[in-house]
C-alpha cells in the first residue's frame, strides 16, 4: 500500500509547488550591442596602426615622376577612417561574420603587423593592397622584408644541418605544433639524420630510441627540435 504524504495524514493543505526555474534565454539585443562594440574597438585599433609613424610617407607620383599635389600639406597624416572601416568589414566577413576567437586573433595579428611593417602600411594606405587581399594574408605574408629574409636564412641553415627523409628539400607542412615564440601553428618539419639511442638499446632493445624532427615556424622563423620515440 502506498504511503500517504505527511501533510495528508495531518489533514493539512498540500504544499505550494515551487515555480519551475526559468531557462536562461539569449538576449539578442545585448549580443548585438557587444558585437558592435567589439567591431568598433577593432576599427579604432586598425586606424591607429595605419597612422603609425611612417605610415603616410609613401608619395603618389604621376607617370612623369612628378609628385602629385593634394589637399593636404606634406607631412599631414591622411584620414584613414574609411579605410580602417573597410578593413574591419573585410576581416569580419572573412571569418564568417562572427566575432569569435579566430576573428579576434586575426585582428591582433593584423594590427601588430601593420604597426611594425612600414612597407605594408604604405601599400595599404596607397591602395596597392586592398582590404580583401590584406585580411587573407597569413603571418608569413604580413612579415617585414627583414623577417622574411631571416626566415629564408633559417630555413637554408636548417636544410644544411639535417638529412631530409622522403618529403623533399622544402620539408612537410603541418599544423601539429605550436610555436612558443609567436603562438602560430603554420610550420614545416624535416627529419634529421641524428638518433638518440637509449641505454636500453645498448643492451639489445630499441625501446627508448628516438629520431629528431626539426620544426620551423613559418610565421616568425623560430626553429626547434622534437624527439620522436620509435
Amino acid at each position: 500500500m502506498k504511503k500517504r504524504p505527511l501533510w495528508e495524514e495531518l489533514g493539512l493543505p498540500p504544499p505550494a509547488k515551487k515555480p519551475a526555474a526559468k531557462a536562461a534565454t539569449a538576449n539578442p539585443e545585448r549580443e548585438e550591442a557587444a558585437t558592435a562594440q567589439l567591431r568598433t574597438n577593432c576599427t579604432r585599433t586598425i586606424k591607429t596602426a595605419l597612422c603609425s609613424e611612417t605610415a603616410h610617407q609613401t608619395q603618389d607620383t604621376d607617370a612623369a615622376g612628378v609628385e602629385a599635389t593634394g589637399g593636404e600639406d606634406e607631412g599631414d597624416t591622411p584620414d584613414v577612417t574609411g579605410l580602417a572601416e573597410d578593413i574591419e568589414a573585410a576581416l569580419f566577413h572573412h571569418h564568417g561574420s562572427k566575432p569569435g576567437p579566430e576573428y579576434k586573433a586575426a585582428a591582433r595579428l593584423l594590427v601588430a603587423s601593420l604597426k611594425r611593417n612600414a612597407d605594408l602600411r604604405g601599400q595599404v594606405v596607397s591602395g596597392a593592397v586592398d582590404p580583401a587581399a590584406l585580411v587573407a594574408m597569413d603571418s608569413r605574408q604580413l612579415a617585414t622584408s627583414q623577417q622574411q629574409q631571416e626566415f629564408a636564412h633559417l630555413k637554408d641553415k636548417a636544410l644544411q644541418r639535417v638529412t631530409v627523409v622522403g618529403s623533399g628539400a622544402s620539408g612537410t607542412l603541418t599544423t601539429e605544433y605550436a610555436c612558443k615564440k609567436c603562438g602560430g601553428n603554420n610550420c614545416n618539419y624535416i627529419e634529421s639524420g641524428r638518433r638518440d639511442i637509449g641505454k636500453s638499446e645498448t643492451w639489445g632493445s630499441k625501446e627508448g630510441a628516438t629520431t629528431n624532427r626539426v620544426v620551423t615556424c613559418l610565421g616568425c622563423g623560430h626553429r626547434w627540435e622534437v624527439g620522436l620515440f620509435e
Side-chain angles (χ1 to χ4, degrees), residues 3-198:
K3 185 178 180 180
R4 295 189 303 169
L6 181 61
W7 60 266
E8 187 175 339
E9 292 180 356
L10 297 176
L12 299 175
K17 294 183 179 180
K18 295 182 179 180
K22 294 183 179 180
T25 57
N27 189 328
E29 293 182 357
R30 181 175 298 179
E31 292 180 358
E32 184 177 349
T35 298
Q37 184 61 50
L38 175 64
R39 296 187 62 186
T40 298
N41 293 341
C42 180
T43 301
R44 186 183 301 114
T45 55
I46 291 174
K47 178 181 177 181
T48 300
L50 291 173
C51 293
S52 299
E53 185 179 0
T54 73
H56 60 281
Q57 291 181 357
T58 56
Q59 297 177 337
D60 295 329
T61 57
D62 58 18
V66 180
E67 181 177 347
T69 58
E72 296 176 345
D73 294 333
E74 183 177 357
D76 288 346
T77 302
D79 184 6
V80 294
T81 301
L83 178 59
E85 292 173 349
D86 291 342
I87 293 173
E88 189 284 326
L91 182 68
F92 191 68
H93 177 73
H94 186 72
H95 291 279
S97 299
K98 296 180 180 179
E102 292 183 358
Y103 166 81
K104 296 176 183 178
R108 287 192 293 268
L109 174 62
L110 180 60
V111 169
S113 300
L114 287 172
K115 286 183 176 180
R116 66 171 175 252
N117 193 337
D119 292 336
L120 179 63
R121 287 198 308 269
Q123 292 174 0
V124 173
V125 172
S126 68
V129 175
D130 61 37
L134 176 65
V135 301
M137 291 181 176
D138 57 24
S139 57
R140 185 71 174 268
Q141 294 170 311
L142 292 170
T144 64
S145 57
Q146 181 180 357
Q147 288 175 321
Q148 292 180 3
Q149 291 175 1
E150 292 176 355
F151 299 157
H153 175 70
L154 289 171
K155 186 175 181 179
D156 291 341
K157 189 175 181 180
L159 290 174
Q160 292 173 2
R161 292 183 54 191
V162 300
T163 302
V164 179
V165 178
S167 59
S170 61
T172 301
L173 296 176
T174 181
T175 56
E176 179 181 354
Y177 304 102
C179 177
K180 294 183 179 180
K181 186 174 181 180
C182 71
N185 64 349
N186 291 323
C187 307
N188 68 2
Y189 68 84
I190 47 183
E191 310 287 358
S192 72
R194 296 188 296 112
R195 300 176 68 212
D196 294 330
I197 309 300

